[in-house]
Amino acid sequence: MNELIFIGLGLNDEKGISVKGLEETKSADSVFIELYTSLMPDFSLRRFEALCEKKIKVISRHELEEENGAVILEAAKKGKAAFLVPGDPFIATTHVTLRVDAEKNGIKTRIIHGTSIISAIVSLSGLHNYKFGKTVTVPFPENFSEAPYNVIAQNKKFGLHTLCLLDLKATEKQFLGINQAIAMLLEVEKKKQQGIIIPDTPAVGIARAGSDNPTLKADFIKNLATYDFGEPPYSLIFPGELHFMEVDSLIAFASAPTEFKRLAK
Amino acid sequence: MNELIFIGLGLNDEKGISVKGLEETKSADSVFIELYTSLMPDFSLRRFEALCEKKIKVISRHELEEENGAVILEAAKKGKAAFLVPGDPFIATTHVTLRVDAEKNGIKTRIIHGTSIISAIVSLSGLHNYKFGKTVTVPFPENFSEAPYNVIAQNKKFGLHTLCLLDLKATEKQFLGINQAIAMLLEVEKKKQQGIIIPDTPAVGIARAGSDNPTLKADFIKNLATYDFGEPPYSLIFPGELHFMEVDSLIAFASAPTEFKRLAK
C-alpha cells in the first residue's frame, strides 16, 4: 500500500502517541519524524524507536521547507510512509503543504490525530472552551509585534479569553519565557495606554502542559512578571469575563489568590 | 496511592487513547468510564476492557450530575481510580466539578490528555488554527437559539472562522444533522437579514472526525443543505477570510468546488 500517514505524537514524551498511532508506525515501511515545531520535554528518540521497533529518520526544517519533504514523498511513492509530528499534525500549519503536495502526486494521505497543546491548555486551566476567542503567538523580542496585545484587547471587548502561545525554537533550545512575554505586553501598553495589560490584570501562566508536573499559576500580572515557572514550553492565558466556576478552578488548580473571587461575573 | 486520574479516550475507538493513558488505566485499582458527553462511533467497551485487561464501570449522567460522582470519589479515597472520558477530559466542562470536589476531599488529581474534536477538526480542514474565533454549539431545534448565528456574525466581522459543534445525545443516539443546523441558521437569517448565512455562504461540513473514514465537504450553503454526510458525529465550519493556502486545502481535502478560489484574500 502506497500512502503517507501523518501521525500526531501528542505531548511531552514517547507515550503521548495514541495506541492507533503506535500501531500504524509499527506497520509502516518507512518512518520519519520532525522535532523542531514544538518541544516535547521528556521525549527520547531512542526510547521511541524501541517502543515502535523501528529505525526513524529525523527530518530537519531545511528538508521540509526548502526541499519540500522530497525524501518523505519518495518513500511514500514506494510503500507505506509514516511522518510523526509533535502534538496534532496540522495544528501548526507547516505541514499542510506537504499533504497538499502528496495528494497532487497521487499519494493517498491519512491523519492519526494526537493531543494538541491547544486543547490540553484549555483542559488544564478549567476555563470554558467556548469562551476562548482567537489564539495568538507571542514572538521573540527580535520579531516584536503589537499583534498579541491587539488580539487580547479585541477578545476582552467580547468577554473572551485569549490563549497566547509563546514562541520557541525547539532545536536551538530557545524559548520565550512567560516573564519576557509579560514585559513585552507591558511595553505595548505603555505606548497604547488602553488599560488592557496593567499590573492588576489577571492571567494564567502554564509550563509543560501534558507532562507529569505541569506548572499552572494564576495571578495578577505584577506577580506573574517575576514568577518562576521552571522548564519550558510555556503559554499564557488572559481571561476575559470569568464565571464563578472558572474562578473556582483557577483557585483549585492554578493557585489563584482568593482576590480572584472578585473577578467572577 | 490514593488519587483520581482523568484520562482522555481521544477519538473514534478504543485505540484513540494515548499509550500513557492505557498504561495508567492498566495499573489503576478501579476504572470508570462515561460515554454520554460525546460519541465515539467505533468504540467497543468489550474490546477496550480486553485491551486494558480491566473490568470497567460505566457511569451514567445521573451518577455524575445528580450524585456528584460519589462512587468515583469513594473509589479514589481507597486507591488509584481512573476515570475515562471521550476526547480530552475537560474540554466539555461537565467534569470540572468532579475534579474540584476531589481536590476539596483531599484526593490528588492528574490529567492524561486525549485528542480533542476541537483540534482534530481544525487539523483535518487544513484551515489555520490562529484564525478561528469563538467556538459555538448549535442546539437541537427544541432549544432553538440565535446565539450560533450571532457568534458566526461576530467572528466574520473580524475575518475569523467559526467552529460549530452540533448538539448530540450520545446515549439516546440523537444527533443534530448538518442539514438541520443549516436550516436553523437560515431561519435566523430570514429574521435578522444581516446577510451572514445566505445560499452563497461557504462552509465546511465534517462527519466522523478522527475515524478512518471522515467525510469532509466544503461547498456553498445551498449545496451543503442537502449533502449526505453519512453517520455522526457532525460539525460545521463557517470560514471567515480565507488565505489562498487554506482554499487549496479545502479543494484538496474537502472537495471544495473550484469557485472557492475566488474567496481567497
Side-chain angles (χ1 to χ4, degrees):
Chain A
M1 182 79 171
N2 176 287
E3 61 174 343
L4 174 54
I5 313 180
F6 292 84
I7 303 177
L9 286 166
L11 302 174
N12 193 60
D13 63 27
E14 56 280 0
K15 294 179 180 175
I17 194 170
S18 68
V19 173
K20 186 179 171 88
L22 184 62
E23 280 187 4
E24 295 278 7
T25 305
K26 282 182 179 177
S27 68
D29 298 311
S30 48
V31 182
F32 303 89
I33 196 169
E34 68 85 355
L35 294 166
Y36 70 86
T37 57
S38 195
L39 174 76
M40 300 180 71
D42 300 314
F43 186 87
S44 146
L45 186 58
R46 208 162 32 83
R47 282 197 306 262
F48 188 72
E49 285 183 327
L51 189 68
C52 66
E53 300 152 20
K54 286 274 162 183
K55 189 81 197 138
I56 300 178
K57 174 160 173 38
V58 179
I59 294 290
S60 67
R61 184 189 292 268
H62 181 86
E63 282 170 298
L64 265 169
E65 294 175 15
E66 308 300 322
E67 299 171 9
N68 303 314
V71 56
I72 302 175
L73 293 176
E74 281 314 307
K77 281 178 190 163
K78 288 180 203 136
K80 175 173 168 175
F83 182 34
L84 300 157
V85 178
D88 194 271
F90 298 108
I91 284 298
T93 54
T94 321
H95 305 313
V96 176
T97 314
L98 180 62
R99 189 173 172 215
V100 173
D101 285 352
E103 296 271 348
K104 280 183 184 161
N105 276 277
I107 298 163
K108 255 196 63 177
T109 63
R110 275 194 292 143
I111 308 178
I112 311 289
H113 296 285
T115 304
S116 167
I117 192 81
I118 299 292
S119 49
I121 288 170
V122 174
S123 195
L124 270 177
S125 71
L127 298 180
H128 295 170
N129 178 62
Y130 65 89
K131 285 173 67 186
F132 278 79
K134 185 174 155 69
T135 296
V136 72
T137 297
V138 182
F140 284 109
E142 61 264 33
N143 303 316
F144 181 84
S145 153
E146 293 185 357
Y149 181 97
N150 295 336
V151 169
I152 296 164
Q154 184 186 301
N155 283 337
K156 278 206 179 181
K157 214 163 89 183
F158 294 99
L160 299 176
H161 311 326
T162 308
L163 169 56
C164 301
L165 301 171
L166 306 197
D167 212 356
L168 54 81
K169 292 178 182 160
T171 322
E172 294 89 336
K173 298 199 196 314
Q174 287 175 33
F175 304 92
L176 183 73
I178 292 173
N179 309 154
Q180 282 176 288
I182 289 173
M184 267 179 77
L185 289 166
L186 285 168
E187 208 178 303
V188 182
E189 177 65 48
K190 208 183 280 177
K191 193 174 145 199
K192 298 204 140 198
Q193 299 278 344
Q194 291 178 11
I196 301 298
I197 311 286
I198 59 170
D200 280 330
T201 299
V204 191
I206 298 126
R208 302 174 311 286
S211 77
D212 281 339
N213 61 344
T215 300
L216 263 87
K217 177 61 184 163
D219 209 327
F220 301 102
I221 280 301
K222 58 187 170 201
N223 301 322
L224 293 181
T226 54
Y227 191 86
D228 181 4
F229 284 88
E231 297 295 307
Y234 305 113
S235 45
L236 192 50
I237 298 172
F238 286 92
E241 283 179 19
L242 285 165
H243 186 267
F244 77 93
M245 280 289 301
E246 293 180 293
V247 170
D248 273 5
S249 295
L250 292 180
I251 291 172
F253 312 132
S255 316
T258 48
E259 293 102 296
F260 263 50
K261 287 195 175 163
R262 280 191 284 116
L263 304 172
K265 303 243 168 181
Chain B
M1 182 77 172
N2 177 286
E3 62 174 342
L4 174 54
I5 313 179
F6 292 85
I7 303 177
L9 286 166
L11 302 174
N12 193 58
D13 63 27
E14 55 281 359
K15 294 180 180 174
I17 194 170
S18 68
V19 172
K20 184 176 173 86
L22 185 62
E23 280 187 2
E24 295 278 9
T25 306
K26 282 183 179 175
S27 69
D29 299 310
S30 49
V31 183
F32 303 89
I33 196 169
E34 68 85 357
L35 294 166
Y36 70 86
T37 58
S38 194
L39 174 76
M40 300 181 69
D42 299 314
F43 185 87
S44 147
L45 185 59
R46 210 162 30 82
R47 281 198 306 260
F48 187 72
E49 286 184 326
L51 188 67
C52 64
E53 300 151 20
K54 287 275 164 184
K55 189 80 198 141
I56 300 177
K57 173 159 172 43
V58 179
I59 294 290
S60 67
R61 182 189 295 266
H62 181 85
E63 282 170 299
L64 265 169
E65 295 176 17
E66 307 301 322
E67 299 171 8
N68 304 313
V71 56
I72 302 176
L73 292 176
E74 282 313 307
K77 281 178 191 165
K78 290 183 201 134
K80 175 173 168 174
F83 181 34
L84 300 156
V85 178
D88 193 89
F90 297 108
I91 283 299
T93 54
T94 321
H95 306 313
V96 176
T97 315
L98 180 62
R99 190 173 171 217
V100 174
D101 285 351
E103 296 271 348
K104 280 183 184 161
N105 277 278
I107 299 161
K108 257 197 63 177
T109 63
R110 278 195 291 141
I111 308 177
I112 312 289
H113 296 285
T115 304
S116 168
I117 192 82
I118 300 292
S119 49
I121 288 170
V122 173
S123 194
L124 269 178
S125 71
L127 298 179
H128 296 172
N129 178 62
Y130 66 89
K131 286 174 66 186
F132 278 78
K134 186 174 153 69
T135 297
V136 71
T137 297
V138 183
F140 285 109
E142 60 264 34
N143 302 317
F144 181 85
S145 153
E146 292 184 357
Y149 181 96
N150 295 336
V151 170
I152 296 165
Q154 184 186 302
N155 282 337
K156 277 207 179 180
K157 213 163 90 181
F158 294 99
L160 299 176
H161 311 325
T162 308
L163 169 56
C164 301
L165 301 171
L166 306 198
D167 212 355
L168 54 80
K169 293 179 182 159
T171 321
E172 294 88 338
K173 298 199 193 319
Q174 287 175 35
F175 304 92
L176 183 73
I178 292 173
N179 310 154
Q180 282 175 289
I182 290 173
M184 267 178 77
L185 290 165
L186 285 169
E187 208 177 303
V188 183
E189 176 65 47
K190 207 183 277 178
K191 194 175 142 197
K192 299 204 140 197
Q193 299 277 344
Q194 292 178 14
I196 300 299
I197 311 286
I198 58 170
D200 281 330
T201 300
V204 190
I206 298 126
R208 301 176 311 287
S211 77
D212 282 339
N213 61 345
T215 300
L216 263 87
K217 177 63 183 165
D219 209 327
F220 302 101
I221 282 298
K222 59 187 170 200
N223 300 323
L224 292 181
T226 54
Y227 191 85
D228 182 2
F229 284 89
E231 296 295 308
Y234 306 113
S235 44
L236 192 50
I237 298 172
F238 285 91
E241 283 180 17
L242 286 165
H243 185 267
F244 76 92
M245 278 289 301
E246 293 181 292
V247 170
D248 272 6
S249 295
L250 292 180
I251 292 172
F253 312 131
S255 317
T258 48
E259 293 102 297
F260 263 52
K261 288 197 173 160
R262 279 190 285 115
L263 303 172
K265 300 243 165 180

